[in-house]
Amino acid sequence: MITITVFVCTLFLVPAPTVVKASDDSIYEKRMALFKKTEAITQIPWYYYAAIDNYERNAKQNTNDEQVISIEIPTEAWFGLGNAAMITDERLIDFFNGYGKDGNGDQKADPNNAEDILYTMGNYILTYGQTKDDIKIALWNYYNRDLTVQTIMNTAKVFKKFQDIQLMDRDFPVSISYNYSYRSTWGDRRGFGGLRIHEGTDIFADYGTPVKSTTYGVVEMMGWNLYGGWRIGIRDIYNIYHYYGHMSGYEDDIEVGKVVKPGDVLGGVGSTGYGPPGTSGKFPPHLHYGMYKDNGYSEWSFDPYPYLKKWERMAKQKD
């Protein structure tokens, strides 16, 4: 529906839901309870609500206050164009073709109430249907952006597989049982293919050293790249794309669409790239590891080095 797409692109958003200060475990439990309740009412699987909420939370600027539900439905889409007084009576909202619904039975469609927000999102999706393809169409018409739809569907796939939303584990991208070395190389100048900056960290290791997934996510891309040789791209549940370049090859079970978790072996360190398919040996074997953040409008690279140091410590504590 074109109308809601227009509304989503405006800056006049409903204020964020009331901030709830709680421990990490408590807030995840509250979210899951809300997702499951909305699933029971709408028959739309809980992991789609969880994925939409997770996407919007991670598209926002960082905040110190953790909200239970982070979905924000634009004001005019919620109340309807003629409801200038923003009256929360669901009958009036419906009269003005708004989308706000009462999800907790208090006779109000409150854009700051978590149950109302999820129920409203569910009812919007139901106008398209309940199948996976229906949900994808609904999300495209809501966000009007292919990458957003892809990210949400991938995240839903991860949540469905692990039946959990509190997926906090991480791993280092090469096996710490092997010799390796690295330093901060993000932003260094590169000359192959034209002057450009280095969008990642190079981790030097022997040829064939196991390359591992650092996070929960879905394999989004793999194959040959002129610069990166044999590479893999993984989209995680935090709107971040993880790029692994110069690999020697892939594990047999790795394919586009596969759900991965921290520690899953993806392939091996190599020295491929800087030429047509098969080019190798133009530099010492190493893994190029890059991270790219998506905020719902654009995607950009950032320095992975601080995260690598943290994940390295986590991996050594588990070893």
Side-chain angles (χ1 to χ4, degrees), residues 194-261:
L195 191 62
R196 54 195 172 87
I197 70 165
H198 187 237
E199 296 183 348
T201 293
D202 288 336
I203 305 173
F204 290 88
D206 292 336
Y207 192 90
T209 297
V211 171
K212 301 188 295 180
S213 175
T214 60
T215 185
Y216 294 91
V218 176
V219 177
E220 187 173 280
M221 184 176 294
M222 59 188 296
W224 185 265
N225 177 274
L226 178 67
Y227 302 104
W230 298 119
R231 56 56 161 110
I232 286 180
I234 294 173
R235 183 79 55 180
D236 76 7
I237 61 175
Y238 298 101
N239 305 2
I240 295 174
Y241 180 76
H242 301 253
Y243 178 91
Y244 301 75
H246 307 313
M247 296 173 65
S248 59
Y250 311 121
E251 289 292 290
D252 291 340
D253 64 339
I254 297 299
E255 60 184 8
V256 172
K258 180 179 176 64
V259 174
V260 294
K261 66 182 184 301

Side-chain angles (χ1 to χ4, degrees), residues 26-151:
S26 174
I27 206 165
Y28 281 107
E29 289 171 2
K30 288 181 178 180
R31 283 176 189 152
M32 184 62 89
L34 287 167
F35 299 147
K36 290 291 184 70
K37 178 180 178 180
T38 313
E39 175 189 55
I41 297 171
T42 64
Q43 299 303 301
I44 294 174
W46 67 266
Y47 41 82
Y48 289 112
Y49 296 112
I52 295 167
D53 179 59
N54 212 55
Y55 174 82
E56 292 212 14
R57 178 173 299 105
N58 289 287
K60 293 175 171 56
Q61 293 183 345
N62 292 333
T63 175
N64 293 325
D65 295 317
E66 186 77 357
Q67 300 166 358
V68 176
I69 297 298
S70 293
I71 298 171
E72 294 184 10
I73 297 176
T75 304
E76 291 179 339
W78 184 281
F79 291 105
L81 280 172
N83 190 358
M86 295 186 288
I87 298 171
T88 59
D89 187 304
E90 186 177 319
R91 293 168 299 178
L92 192 61
I93 289 174
D94 187 60
F95 176 79
F96 286 111
N97 296 315
Y99 292 90
K101 298 293 181 183
D102 172 22
N104 64 352
D106 66 356
Q107 309 306 312
K108 297 179 181 178
D110 182 358
N112 294 309
N113 180 274
E115 292 180 76
D116 291 358
I117 293 168
L118 290 174
Y119 186 56
T120 298
M121 178 59 72
N123 271 271
Y124 169 75
I125 292 173
L126 285 173
T127 62
Y128 292 86
Q130 293 177 300
T131 71
K132 181 179 177 180
D133 286 340
D134 292 335
I135 293 170
K136 287 177 69 175
I137 293 169
L139 291 173
W140 193 93
N141 281 301
Y142 186 84
Y143 292 103
N144 200 22
R145 185 169 182 256
D146 289 337
L147 181 57
T148 296
V149 176
Q150 180 174 295
T151 300

Side-chain angles (χ1 to χ4, degrees), residues 232-306:
I232 286 180
I234 294 173
R235 183 79 55 180
D236 76 7
I237 61 175
Y238 298 101
N239 305 2
I240 295 174
Y241 180 76
H242 301 253
Y243 178 91
Y244 301 75
H246 307 313
M247 296 173 65
S248 59
Y250 311 121
E251 289 292 290
D252 291 340
D253 64 339
I254 297 299
E255 60 184 8
V256 172
K258 180 179 176 64
V259 174
V260 294
K261 66 182 184 301
D264 283 353
V265 177
L266 307 174
V269 170
S271 59
T272 59
Y274 282 23
T279 303
S280 182
K282 291 196 171 184
F283 38 75
H286 67 277
L287 175 71
H288 170 96
Y289 183 79
M291 297 173 70
Y292 297 78
K293 177 67 175 178
D294 173 48
N295 66 357
Y297 300 95
S298 59
E299 190 175 44
W300 67 94
S301 69
F302 61 96
D303 188 0
Y305 183 77

